[in-house]
Amino acid sequence: MTDNRALLARSAAMASITVAVILVLLKAWASWRTGSTAMLGSLADSALDLIASIATLTGVWIASMPADEDHRFGHGKAEALAAIVQVMLITISAFGIAVRAITQLVEGSAVKAAEEGIAVSVFAIVLTFALLGWQRYVMNRTRSLAIQTDHLHYKSDLFLNLAVIAALVIDQMLGVTGADPLFGLAIAAWLGWGAYSAARDAVDDLMDREWPEEKRLAFVEAAARHPELSNLHDLRTRTSGNRDFVQFHVDLPGEMTVEEAHDIIERVEEDLRGRFPGMELLIHIDPVGHVDEPDNPLAETDEFAKLEDDE
């Protein structure tokens, strides 16, 4: 991660911490005033947002550290670990809200002071919109997984705050008993789905999942623009934090000198890195006709031939 990207990611993490602190204080007051389960759920979510945002800041700070002797591929996976911490906290929050909502349904308690709770929720929506705008700006320039996860649960906060408003209006102002805990259960389900989605992305990063097929195909098409290359095989791709890693084998004539082969690969690497910024690339040269692993289709599949078959 460049210094500029690191500063952007840290700024987004600091902004989310600031927003979370403000919302925790306001929602704690509103929960005390209204006695609403939906508002209590919103408070719990904001409190966990604060902890998760601190984890995000830690993750992006570590991920921005340059490679060292013990971490020669960099520290990008720190962002995925931060995302996992956030997922755990979101899951705990969803469970607690669900338990509270079920208890309120059984006991039949009512909410009060709806106007104050609604005012706090409206302010939370405005503040969250501002944060989401800055996070989107940062995500487009850093591809930070931790910021993406943070963005996901703050985006869910918009719906959560709308749900709180609806619960207070329906329960107290319209007199529909049970609306507040039912909305609380809906909020818990929404948080659970968000946790699942964020966990899937973080696990993909930690498990070095291959690039999406569209991106992988675009890379092969870019490499195919170099006619001096043939039989691109054993293509492996992965992403760690905001950095991409790619390696593949390619055939060159056996009679070619080392210097000639080196010059060709240098030109190819420069072009591909320009097309895919933030990528580390490793190319292995095989003499034409050489077979590395005859019984391994993953290693020996010619990606250029697949392009021709698809045409």
Side-chain angles (χ1 to χ4, degrees):
M1 185 184 289
T2 64
D3 290 343
N4 186 50
R5 287 180 176 179
L7 288 173
L8 280 173
R10 292 173 192 171
S11 72
M14 288 298 298
S16 67
I17 289 174
T18 302
V19 168
V21 169
I22 294 171
L23 294 183
V24 164
L25 294 175
L26 284 174
K27 290 179 181 180
W29 175 79
S31 295
W32 169 70
R33 289 288 297 155
T34 65
S36 164
T37 295
M39 179 59 77
L40 183 63
S42 185
L43 168 61
D45 180 68
S46 293
L48 290 175
D49 281 351
L50 175 58
I51 299 172
S53 295
I54 294 172
T56 298
L57 177 60
T58 303
V60 299
W61 199 291
I62 296 174
S64 68
M65 294 179 179
D68 56 37
E69 291 185 358
D70 294 325
H71 307 88
R72 295 183 183 272
F73 288 100
H75 301 79
K77 290 190 184 297
E79 292 198 17
L81 292 173
I84 290 293
V85 171
Q86 294 179 56
V87 166
M88 294 170 62
L89 294 173
I90 294 170
T91 302
I92 293 170
S93 175
F95 179 77
I97 294 167
V99 170
R100 165 70 179 178
I102 293 171
T103 301
Q104 188 177 7
L105 276 173
V106 173
E107 296 178 351
S109 56
V111 299
K112 54 186 178 181
E115 296 83 358
E116 295 169 12
I118 291 171
V120 168
S121 295
V122 169
F123 179 78
I125 289 172
V126 173
L127 198 58
T128 302
F129 259 121
L131 175 62
L132 290 174
W134 179 243
Q135 287 179 329
R136 278 194 298 271
Y137 175 84
V138 172
M139 285 159 48
N140 290 337
R141 285 155 180 78
T142 67
R143 297 188 304 151
S144 168
L145 178 62
I147 299 301
Q148 289 174 23
T149 305
D150 210 33
H151 181 80
L152 174 66
H153 70 250
Y154 272 106
K155 188 162 61 174
S156 72
D157 281 358
L158 292 177
F159 299 98
L160 188 149
N161 285 300
L162 287 172
V164 171
I165 293 172
L168 292 172
V169 169
I170 295 172
D171 196 294
Q172 184 174 2
M173 296 183 176
L174 300 183
V176 179
T177 305
D180 180 62
L182 288 175
F183 271 93
L185 285 173
I187 291 169
W190 175 264
L191 290 173
W193 174 253
Y196 168 76
S197 300
R200 183 178 54 197
D201 292 339
V203 170
D204 284 348
D205 190 286
L206 291 172
M207 293 295 293
D208 290 333
R209 186 181 179 88
E210 283 287 318
W211 285 358
E213 190 59 33
E214 303 78 25
K215 184 176 179 180
R216 205 170 186 272
L217 178 61
F219 180 86
V220 175
E221 290 174 342
R225 295 174 182 269
H226 298 271
E228 59 268 46
L229 303 181
S230 65
N231 189 25
L232 189 155
H233 58 285
D234 202 9
L235 173 62
R236 305 181 188 187
T237 62
R238 67 185 180 94
T239 299
S240 178
N242 74 318
R243 294 195 64 80
D244 290 327
F245 294 84
V246 181
Q247 64 184 63
F248 62 82
H249 292 211
V250 71
D251 288 358
L252 290 177
E255 63 273 12
M256 185 176 287
T257 67
V258 172
E259 184 174 2
E260 290 171 337
H262 174 267
D263 290 343
I264 290 172
I265 297 303
E266 283 279 291
R267 290 196 299 272
V268 171
E269 289 179 339
E270 182 178 1
D271 174 63
L272 293 177
R273 288 195 182 106
R275 295 176 184 273
F276 294 84
M279 175 185 67
E280 290 197 17
L281 179 61
L282 177 64
I283 302 176
H284 176 83
I285 302 172
D286 287 332
V288 173
H290 175 77
V291 177
D292 292 307
E293 301 179 48
D295 298 323
N296 185 352
L298 288 177
E300 295 304 327
T301 298
D302 184 356
E303 301 294 337
F304 289 160
K306 287 171 61 179
L307 281 182
E308 296 173 359
D309 293 340
D310 292 338
E311 292 177 353

